[in-house]
């Protein structure tokens, strides 16, 4: 179902209106809230009984309007959009104690920067960009050392933004749990020779999110 609240924030929602838990989910840098990745995760969680709210950052909304590619907005703009969406969800009656935030890659990283500040019940990062591909010295992990919010990071074992060995050496907060998606790339897509399908890997990530919620 698509919601247009009339205040510049277009949302996609899945799952029951009276769900116990709500997850606000942001997209990655290259594709919007209706990408196959985002749609599969949101619909699967919706079928499992969660309320999932998807939204877009300003640059992606402009791409949708104009058809012209644009780079992501500055961090301050991305975080402002995140805060507006959270405020809107709470104003609409979402239980703050049962609100999770997260997203794919860029969307999840931005959520991780405000999770503690906003008092989120949980954080879900689907393919966290630990460092730019080929640049392991440019880590994006400093704030993850002291993160208090219960956090799930789902990561493909072939993700170019890290390797399992690299991640094992990072100083991550005890609040963070990792779920490794076998042979998955940054979008969890496996190679054909792995014997796995993309849908299986997306479903594995979905089950990991459900597992996180079960511990909260």
């Amino acid at each position: 179902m698509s919601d247009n609240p009339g205040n510049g924030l277009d949302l996609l929602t899945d799952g029951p209106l009276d769900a116990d838990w709500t997850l606000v989910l942001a997209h990655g840098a290259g594709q919007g809230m209706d990408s196959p990745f985002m749609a599969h995760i949101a619909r699967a969680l919706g079928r499992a009984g969660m309320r999932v709210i998807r939204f877009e950052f300003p640059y992606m909304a402009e791409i949708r309007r104009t058809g012209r590619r644009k780079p992501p907005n500055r961090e301050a703009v991305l975080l402002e959009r995140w805060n507006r969406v959270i405020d809107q969800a709470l104003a609409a009656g979402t239980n703050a104690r049962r609100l999770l935030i997260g997203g794919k890659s860029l969307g999840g990283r931005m959520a991780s920067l405000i999770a503690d500040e906003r008092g989120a019940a949980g954080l879900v990062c689907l393919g966290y960009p630990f460092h730019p591909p080929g640049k392991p010295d440019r880590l994006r992990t400093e704030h993850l050392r002291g993160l208090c919010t219960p956090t799930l990071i789902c990561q493909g074992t072939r993700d170019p933004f890290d390797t399992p060995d690299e991640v094992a050496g990072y100083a991550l907060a005890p609040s963070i749990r990792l779920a490794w998606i076998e042979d998955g790339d940054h979008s969890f897509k496996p190679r054909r020779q792995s014997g796995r399908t993309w849908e299986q890997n997306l479903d594995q990530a979905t089950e990991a999110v459900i597992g996180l919620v079960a511990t909260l």
Side-chain angles (χ1 to χ4, degrees), residues 181-183 190-192 194-198 200-201 204:
I181 309 299
E182 186 61 34
D183 206 60
R191 294 167 295 186
R192 179 176 298 180
S194 72
R196 296 181 62 83
T197 67
W198 191 32
Q200 285 176 322
N201 278 0
Q204 181 185 344

Side-chain angles (χ1 to χ4, degrees), residues 60-75:
M60 187 59 68
E62 186 171 346
I63 290 173
R64 190 177 296 281
R65 289 193 303 270
T66 66
R68 298 176 182 174
R69 301 298 298 176
K70 288 181 64 67
N73 305 109
R74 293 176 293 106
E75 181 176 296

Side-chain angles (χ1 to χ4, degrees), residues 32-134:
M33 62 183 175
D34 58 352
S35 70
F37 180 101
M38 294 285 287
H40 187 110
I41 295 291
R43 291 167 183 166
L45 290 173
R47 289 192 297 270
M50 288 187 64
R51 176 80 163 163
V52 182
I53 301 172
R54 290 177 272 164
F55 74 95
E56 289 185 336
F57 294 118
Y59 80 95
M60 187 59 68
E62 186 171 346
I63 290 173
R64 190 177 296 281
R65 289 193 303 270
T66 66
R68 298 176 182 174
R69 301 298 298 176
K70 288 181 64 67
N73 305 109
R74 293 176 293 106
E75 181 176 296
V77 175
L78 300 175
L79 295 180
E80 189 274 339
R81 178 56 57 98
W82 247 119
N83 280 305
R84 284 185 63 194
V85 174
I86 292 172
D87 289 343
Q88 179 174 316
L90 295 176
T94 298
N95 185 343
R97 295 181 179 179
R98 290 178 175 261
L99 174 65
L100 296 88
I101 63 175
K104 184 183 188 304
S105 193
L106 172 69
R109 184 166 75 91
M110 291 300 107
S112 72
L113 294 171
I114 61 171
D116 283 356
E117 173 189 335
R118 295 305 306 245
L123 171 67
V124 175
C125 297
L126 303 171
Y128 187 86
F130 284 101
H131 60 69

